[in-house]
Amino acid sequence: MTTATRRARRLAPAIALIGVGALALSACSGGSGGSGSGSGSGAGDGDFSYLGQTENTTIITTLETLAGDQCKAAADAAPLTSDDISGTQWDQQLQLLASQDGLSDMQMAAGTPALMSEFIDGGKVLDLSTALDDLGVSDRLVPAAESTVKALYGDGALYALPTEFNIEGFWYNKELLADNGVEVPETWDDLVDAATTLKDAGVQPFATAGKDGWPVTRLVGDYIFRTLGADALQKVADGDAKLTDPEYVAAADAVAELGTAGYFGDAVGSIDYNASMNLFLTGKAAFYYMGSWALANFNDEEQNQIGVDNVGFARFPAVKGGKGSIDEVPANVGIPVMFAEKNYDDESAAWLKCIAEGYGDTALNDSGVVSGFVVDNPPTDLPSTTQAVQEEIANAPSSVLWFEALFTPKATGISQNNGAGLANGSLSGEEFMKLVQAANDEG
């Protein structure tokens, strides 16, 4: 399985943080240490226990590095121990452990927001807002990452830490834009004008994985946030609005109009994640809406034939007259981790403090992972694309989720399966929204 495929499977909105089984939070990067029994560990047993998914090694590797460095004092007092469970069984096993008060001191969060809400309501997970504040390290989280976690679980408090933080937007080919006299778009009208200019010049405006659907529906969600504000899809989840309301349909119509105009290219419904990535990195398309998990592809010299310095990043543009702000960056936290409320003691607090202080630098320097923690000393040789993401994250005051983040699993599937219809112009915005709303109503 290629890196691109692994990341596509992890971040596709039918899977990431919502999705089908516990693969929602898998990083798919190989096995980790531990017996695999997932037995959990309680407070007061003399160690600091971490439970993760077998497929992810980044978190435990970072913790092990911290144990010998910034967290040495904490590790001396409570040595780090780890265990793992297959991602395919994650939510089921995590729910069982929680019911038996067998959660580890720290573990990857539940794969679905609904299960996390159960843990929160049941007092199973620690309110990290209070804990970090008590430890004097609440400023060690990037504001946009913190707001993403809070929005995801809808409680107003922080119940997980962002060991990854992915922002989304339009990556663009600097040379193609310059050669065709196109400025980086700041408004939706600018983006449409740019696409018109490019297509007239024989350049495909957008590389898009219509077959996967979610790269198309991401655009619908972002347009909604720009026009109606950051709480627009929460209102749908709460039953205070419907996707079939005219102002929501307008967002799907705007994306459908791009499809009708042919701006996504020919046969977009047959283009998958890897093919769309290749279109952009071989210079065959000018814009590519994607998350910052694609940095691995951009920074790979074999894949990136246009050159890393030729790749720019632009936030999803503003919509004239909209209530949303271009400063609200579409984002997800990939692999958050939670602490068990019952296990939280002085030893866990010491670990929490040093993780907050050192995780960001360690993950970036050792694994190249952009997290939601503050970075004090980034590597001096970071590629320009990674630097751009770091700057965006540091400067973004808040974030918004993606289109399906608060939908039911069925509605998520319906949305993705019909994304290609918007991209090729075979579905109107109204038709698309009726399908998704109906699925959401069914629960």
Side-chain angles (χ1 to χ4, degrees):
M1 187 183 297
T2 66
T3 298
T5 301
R6 288 197 298 267
R7 289 179 179 271
R9 290 183 179 179
R10 186 187 70 204
L11 274 302
I15 298 178
L17 298 174
I18 296 182
V20 180
L23 282 173
L25 296 175
S26 292
C28 299
S29 55
S32 65
S35 65
S37 64
S39 58
S41 180
D45 54 10
D47 62 18
F48 177 74
S49 57
Y50 168 71
L51 177 65
Q53 292 183 8
T54 308
E55 295 84 356
N56 175 270
T57 58
T58 301
I59 297 174
I60 184 58
T61 298
T62 303
L63 292 175
E64 288 171 346
T65 300
L66 288 170
D69 193 1
Q70 292 101 314
C71 296
K72 188 176 187 308
D76 288 343
L80 174 68
T81 62
S82 67
D83 207 343
D84 57 70
I85 297 173
S86 170
T88 58
Q89 305 169 15
W90 184 255
D91 272 12
Q92 179 183 2
Q93 292 299 315
L94 201 63
Q95 192 167 26
L96 178 62
L97 289 171
S99 70
Q100 298 172 342
D101 283 331
L103 291 175
S104 295
D105 298 319
M106 171 181 165
Q107 51 261 296
M108 289 168 61
T112 61
L115 182 54
M116 276 297 290
S117 294
E118 288 183 22
F119 291 163
I120 293 167
D121 293 342
K124 300 295 184 181
V125 295
L126 182 68
D127 178 349
L128 291 162
S129 301
T130 300
L132 293 172
D133 191 55
D134 290 344
L135 294 169
V137 290
S138 57
D139 61 346
R140 298 303 299 175
L141 293 182
V142 176
E146 182 174 356
S147 73
T148 301
V149 178
K150 289 180 176 179
L152 190 62
Y153 303 136
D155 188 81
L158 185 75
Y159 289 99
L161 298 176
T163 59
E164 283 190 5
F165 187 54
N166 299 304
I167 62 171
E168 301 175 13
F170 282 103
W171 303 89
Y172 59 90
N173 184 316
K174 296 178 182 178
E175 289 184 3
L176 282 180
L177 264 61
D179 290 347
N180 290 280
V182 173
E183 299 288 335
V184 177
E186 295 185 0
T187 69
W188 181 262
D189 289 342
D190 291 342
L191 184 68
V192 174
D193 289 344
T196 302
T197 298
L198 290 164
K199 189 172 186 296
D200 288 348
V203 177
Q204 182 172 318
F206 303 106
T208 306
K211 184 177 182 179
D212 297 329
W214 62 265
V216 181
T217 65
R218 288 290 223 257
L219 304 181
V220 176
D222 291 351
Y223 193 99
I224 287 172
F225 288 129
R226 293 293 187 256
T227 54
L228 303 180
D231 62 345
L233 289 175
Q234 184 64 55
K235 290 179 179 178
V236 174
D238 293 341
D240 297 327
K242 288 186 175 293
L243 296 174
T244 50
D245 293 343
E247 59 270 30
Y248 288 83
V249 170
D253 278 337
V255 176
E257 287 169 6
L258 297 181
T260 301
Y263 294 152
F264 294 117
D266 297 331
V268 63
S270 66
I271 302 297
D272 64 11
Y273 182 91
N274 290 337
S276 66
M277 181 74 72
N278 184 65
L279 279 172
F280 180 67
L281 294 182
T282 55
K284 296 176 182 176
F287 290 101
Y288 187 41
Y289 184 89
M290 191 50 59
S292 57
W293 57 83
L295 288 174
N297 305 86
F298 297 162
N299 298 336
D300 183 338
E301 293 183 359
E302 291 186 9
Q303 292 187 59
N304 188 351
Q305 297 181 28
I306 64 175
V308 68
D309 291 335
N310 191 29
V311 177
F313 178 83
R315 295 181 182 181
F316 190 92
V319 176
K320 187 177 181 180
K323 297 178 182 178
S325 169
I326 196 172
D327 292 331
E328 294 163 344
V329 179
N332 70 68
V333 288
I335 309 174
V337 294
M338 63 186 187
F339 278 63
E341 167 72 32
K342 183 178 179 181
N343 299 0
Y344 191 66
D345 55 15
D346 290 343
E347 286 75 21
S348 292
W351 268 100
L352 175 58
K353 185 175 187 293
C354 67
I355 288 170
E357 292 173 333
Y359 196 99
D361 279 288
T362 302
L364 183 60
N365 282 276
D366 292 358
S367 303
V369 172
V370 177
S371 72
F373 293 94
V374 171
V375 173
D376 296 311
N377 300 294
T380 57
D381 59 347
L382 280 178
S384 58
T385 49
T386 306
Q387 291 180 36
V389 167
Q390 284 292 100
E391 291 173 3
E392 287 290 330
I393 288 174
N395 295 326
S398 62
S399 65
V400 290
L401 299 175
W402 58 98
F403 184 54
E404 297 95 349
L406 304 177
F407 290 178
T408 65
K410 181 175 182 178
T412 296
I414 292 294
S415 176
Q416 291 184 338
N417 290 338
N418 288 282
L422 289 179
N424 63 25
S426 64
L427 272 182
S428 70
E430 183 178 13
E431 291 169 333
F432 173 79
M433 289 304 215
K434 281 183 177 179
L435 289 170
V436 180
Q437 183 63 56
N440 227 19
D441 288 341
E442 292 178 16

